[in-house]
C-alpha cells in the first residue's frame, strides 16, 4: 500500500501545482451529476464501439471500449470526490478505493483495463489500445473483440450499480 499511497500523493500534488488545468488528481465534492454524465459518455463510446465492430473496424473498436470503461472509472471518481486528468492517477485512486474497502469492485476489472505485471501484455485493454493505435495492425481476433464488447457492457452495468449505492 506504500507505493500506492505515494502515487496518490504525487497525483494530488501534481494537480495542486498545476492549478485549474491540472494533469493529476484533485479532491472535489462528490458529484452525482458528473458521475452520471461520465456514464452517458461511457454509453456513447459503447455505441461507437458497436458501430465500429459492424464496420469491421476492430482496431478502433478497442479504443472505444477502453474509453467507455475509462469513463466508468471517472464516474466512480466523481462519486467518491475526485477529478482526474491522468490515466495513471485514475487507476491508482480506483485501486486505493478498492484496497481500502471504500469501493466494492473486483480488482479484476481494473486489471482488465490497465496493464498488470501478472497478466500477458495483450490481456489489458490499455495495452491492446496502444498496440493498435500506435502500431500498423488493423485486424483483431473476432473472439477477442466480442469478449471486449461483452466486458464493456458488463462493466457499465456494474458501475451503474455502484453509483446507485
Amino acid at each position: 500500500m506504500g507505493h500506492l499511497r505515494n502515487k496518490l500523493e504525487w497525483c494530488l500534488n501534481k494537480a495542486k501545482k498545476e492549478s485549474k488545468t491540472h494533469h493529476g488528481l484533485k479532491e472535489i465534492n462528490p458529484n452525482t451529476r458528473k458521475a452520471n454524465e461520465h456514464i452517458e459518455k461511457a454509453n456513447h463510446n459503447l455505441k461507437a464501439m458497436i458501430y465500429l465492430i459492424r464496420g469491421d473496424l476492430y482496431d478502433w473498436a478497442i479504443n472505444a471500449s477502453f474509453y467507455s470503461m475509462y469513463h466508468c472509472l471517472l464516474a466512480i471518481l466523481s462519486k467518491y470526490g475526485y477529478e482526474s486528468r491522468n490515466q495513471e492517477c485514475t487507476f491508482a485512486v480506483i485501486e486505493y478505493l478498492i484496497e481500502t474497502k471504500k469501493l466494492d469492485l473486483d480488482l479484476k476489472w481494473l486489471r482488465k483495463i490497465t496493464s498488470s505485471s501478472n497478466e500477458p501484455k495483450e490481456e489489458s485493454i490499455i495495452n491492446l489500445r496502444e498496440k493498435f493505435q500506435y502500431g500498423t495492425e488493423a485486424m483483431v481476433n473476432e473472439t477477442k473483440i466480442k469478449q471486449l464488447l461483452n466486458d464493456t457492457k458488463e462493466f457499465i452495468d456494474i458501475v451503474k450499480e455502484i453509483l446507485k449505492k
Side-chain angles (χ1 to χ4, degrees):
M1 181 86 101
H3 173 71
L4 187 55
R5 187 74 198 146
N6 289 342
K7 179 74 168 191
L8 286 177
E9 289 301 319
W10 179 86
C11 289
L12 290 165
N13 288 332
K14 181 173 176 45
K16 285 177 188 169
K17 288 178 190 172
E18 294 174 356
S19 189
K20 193 170 186 155
T21 57
H22 73 90
H23 293 91
L25 180 70
K26 272 190 174 180
E27 290 181 287
I28 60 168
N29 290 325
N31 190 331
T32 304
R33 180 189 57 79
K34 193 66 161 174
N36 289 325
E37 289 173 359
H38 280 295
I39 290 298
E40 288 176 26
K41 184 69 174 200
N43 281 319
H44 173 79
N45 290 335
L46 174 61
K47 287 180 195 172
M49 182 184 187
I50 293 166
Y51 181 82
L52 293 164
I53 290 170
R54 287 184 183 144
D56 292 328
L57 299 168
Y58 293 172
D59 56 335
W60 282 100
I62 291 170
N63 288 328
S65 173
F66 172 78
Y67 284 108
S68 181
M69 290 186 167
Y70 188 72
H71 273 280
C72 288
L73 298 177
L74 294 176
I76 293 169
L77 294 191
S78 292
K79 175 188 169 81
Y80 284 88
Y82 293 97
E83 173 190 87
S84 178
R85 294 191 185 157
N86 178 301
Q87 290 177 5
E88 289 301 316
C89 293
T90 300
F91 303 147
V93 75
I94 293 291
E95 186 169 354
Y96 174 79
L97 290 170
I98 292 169
E99 286 191 9
T100 58
K101 309 286 188 224
K102 294 177 183 175
L103 173 60
D104 184 21
L105 177 68
D106 191 327
L107 192 57
K108 79 173 185 176
W109 285 104
L110 188 60
R111 296 297 175 244
K112 280 181 182 262
I113 300 165
T114 68
S115 47
S116 170
S117 59
N118 299 337
E119 299 177 38
K121 275 192 161 270
E122 45 280 349
E123 286 302 309
S124 75
I125 296 168
I126 196 168
N127 286 325
L128 276 172
R129 180 187 67 84
E130 289 172 355
K131 175 182 174 182
F132 285 94
Q133 184 172 359
Y134 302 122
T136 57
E137 269 184 86
M139 291 310 299
V140 181
N141 177 301
E142 193 172 341
T143 303
K144 184 66 171 173
I145 205 71
K146 285 180 182 178
Q147 184 61 52
L148 280 177
L149 179 59
N150 290 334
D151 286 349
T152 304
K153 289 176 181 178
E154 184 178 353
F155 192 61
I156 290 171
D157 289 341
I158 288 168
V159 173
K160 283 180 182 177
E161 288 302 312
I162 289 169
L163 296 181
K164 288 179 185 176
K165 298 176 186 173

